[in-house]
Each structure stands twice: as C-alpha cells, then as structure tokens.
C-alpha cells in the first residue's frame, strides 16, 4: 500500500512537470479580434493602433474652503482636474477559451501606466475582468517588445493605459472679470488651461499559448 502511494505521488509529480514543460506556441492572428482596435492583432508590425481618448485636463485656480482671506481676496490654489476619463482601453478576444502563458506588447509610443486584465466570460462590466499582476501599471518608455506573464485560461484580454498630455495643443482661456471685480480693479484675470489627452500607440499584441 505504501509503495502504491509513493508511485502515485511520483506519477502526479511527473505529470505536473510534463504539463509545465509543454512548449509554447504563438496564437495566429486569425484567432484574435478587437472591435475597437483591430490593428492590435492584425499580425502586421508595420501597422499602428492608438487608444481612443475620452477626456482632457483642466488647470486653473480654485478657491480653498474656509475663511482664510486677505484684504477681501479668497485664498486660491492652482489645481489640475480631469474632465471625462484619463484612462484609455482596448479589448482583445480569442476565438475560444485558451490557456495563455504570456503576451508580448510591441509599443509604438510611450505607454503610461499600462495594465492588463482578463476574463473567461463575455464581460458585461469592467469589474468582470481579473487583474494580471505582472508589471501592473508599468510605464513603457521604449519601443522594444515587453513580455507580460498571464498563466491562465482566458477568452478576453483588456489593456488600459493613461492618456498622454498633449501640451503642444493646450488652449489657454481667460476668465473675464465680473462687474464687482472691474470696480475693485484689484483682482487679476485668471487663466484656465485646457490640455488635450492623446492615446498611446501599439504596433502589435502577440499571444503565446501552451
């Protein structure tokens, strides 16, 4: 009986090693689709896909709470706030649930705070995805491919990243004085700056299965 137990343990160990040592292979682009960013998985490294952006930044002076006033002027602080969303996303679907060992991302620009998430079901909400912790919120600076370990069975891969500040196309809007300020002539005209966000770009996302 003891011998049988030992043989069973050895068999399970050998079987586990065999599974772990299975060779990986690249998933063909014909098995991958992306409704919003089809060029992410078209199998062509010469094409570039850019994240869509739905937000911008606004920089302006904001009045601070409290009664800290000097000569009738409210204390203010220059602040940045996001209108819309700073985060961008793209979703890739496999043709069937597949165990993915890792993916390789080929950047075409700087990619701020890149994060990966996966799910085995058709996602109804963003919360349907499970986070991939490998290199979570990593900023990719160069254009060399970067490998992310997945090590799970997936159907969808979701990529998110921050939009990039487009300072060259920033718009400066002056705030007109009201009648009270015009009479006092002591308060300067404030300026509000609108900074567009542009999406990061990726040449290709390659999947490797086992």
């Amino acid at each position: 009986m003891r011998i049988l137990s030992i043989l069973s343990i050895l068999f399970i160990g050998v079987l586990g090693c065999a599974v772990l040592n299975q060779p990986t292979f690249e998933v063909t682009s014909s098995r991958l689709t992306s409704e919003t960013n089809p060029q992410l998985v078209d199998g062509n490294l010469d094409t570039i896909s850019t994240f869509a952006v739905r937000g911008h930044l606004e920089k302006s002076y904001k009045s601070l709470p409290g009664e800290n006033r000097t000569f009738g002027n409210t204390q203010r602080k220059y602040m940045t706030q996001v209108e819309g969303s700073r985060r961008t996303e793209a979703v890739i679907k496999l043709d069937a649930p597949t165990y993915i060992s890792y993916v390789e991302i080929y950047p075409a620009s700087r990619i701020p705070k890149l994060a990966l998430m996966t799910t085995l079901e058709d996602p109804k909400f963003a919360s349907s995805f499970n986070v991939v912790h490998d290199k979570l919120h990593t900023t990719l600076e160069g254009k060399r491919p970067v490998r992310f370990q997945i090590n799970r069975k997936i159907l969808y891969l979701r990529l998110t990243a921050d939009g990039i500040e487009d300072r060259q196309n920033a718009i400066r809007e002056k705030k007109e004085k009201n009648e009270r300020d015009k009479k006092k002539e002591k308060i300067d005209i404030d300026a509000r700056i609108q900074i567009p966000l542009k999406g990061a770009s990726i040449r290709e996302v390659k999947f490797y299965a086992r």
Side-chain angles (χ1 to χ4, degrees), residues 1-9:
M1 192 71 179
R2 184 178 179 185
I3 294 174
L4 287 175
S5 298
I6 294 172
L7 288 174
S8 298
I9 293 171

Side-chain angles (χ1 to χ4, degrees), residues 24-27 32 39-41 43 45 92 100-108 111 114 116 134-135 140 143-150 154 157 159 202-209:
T24 57
F25 59 91
E26 183 180 345
V27 177
L32 305 168
Q39 292 177 321
L40 281 179
V41 289
L45 289 174
I92 300 170
I100 299 299
S101 296
Y102 59 88
V103 297
E104 286 183 346
I105 295 178
Y106 291 70
I111 308 177
L114 179 65
L116 278 61
D134 187 39
K135 304 180 183 67
L140 306 187
K143 295 186 178 181
R144 299 183 64 180
V146 179
R147 179 176 296 185
F148 291 79
Q149 297 294 329
I150 305 296
I154 71 171
L157 175 71
L159 301 92
I202 295 176
R203 287 184 290 152
E204 196 75 14
V205 179
K206 292 187 177 184
F207 289 66
Y208 292 84

Side-chain angles (χ1 to χ4, degrees), residues 32-84:
L32 305 168
T33 55
S34 176
E35 291 186 5
T36 57
N37 299 74
Q39 292 177 321
L40 281 179
V41 289
D42 62 0
N44 186 353
L45 289 174
D46 291 330
T47 59
I48 294 175
S49 183
T50 301
F51 287 96
V53 178
R54 298 179 180 85
H56 65 272
L57 303 182
E58 284 194 3
K59 294 178 179 287
S60 61
Y61 280 102
K62 300 291 182 182
S63 298
L64 298 178
E67 299 297 327
N68 190 357
R69 299 168 181 268
T70 305
F71 300 109
N73 291 334
T74 303
Q75 187 177 0
R76 295 172 297 167
K77 183 178 181 180
Y78 201 60
M79 301 177 69
T80 300
Q81 67 182 47
V82 180
E83 295 294 329

Side-chain angles (χ1 to χ4, degrees), residues 154-204:
I154 71 171
L155 182 60
Y156 289 88
L157 175 71
R158 179 173 177 245
L159 301 92
T160 65
D162 276 1
I164 302 169
E165 293 187 23
D166 187 6
R167 294 178 179 274
Q168 291 185 341
N169 291 309
I171 301 172
R172 186 181 183 89
E173 297 179 352
K174 288 187 176 181
K175 179 182 176 183
E176 297 295 335
K177 292 179 180 179
N178 56 35
E179 291 300 321
R180 181 181 177 184
D181 293 339
K182 286 179 180 178
K183 290 178 181 178
K184 288 186 177 181
E185 295 184 354
K186 291 181 181 179
I187 300 177
D188 295 332
I189 297 176
D190 292 337
R192 182 176 63 181
I193 301 176
Q194 235 182 56
I195 303 177
L197 293 172
K198 56 184 180 180
S201 297
I202 295 176
R203 287 184 290 152
E204 196 75 14

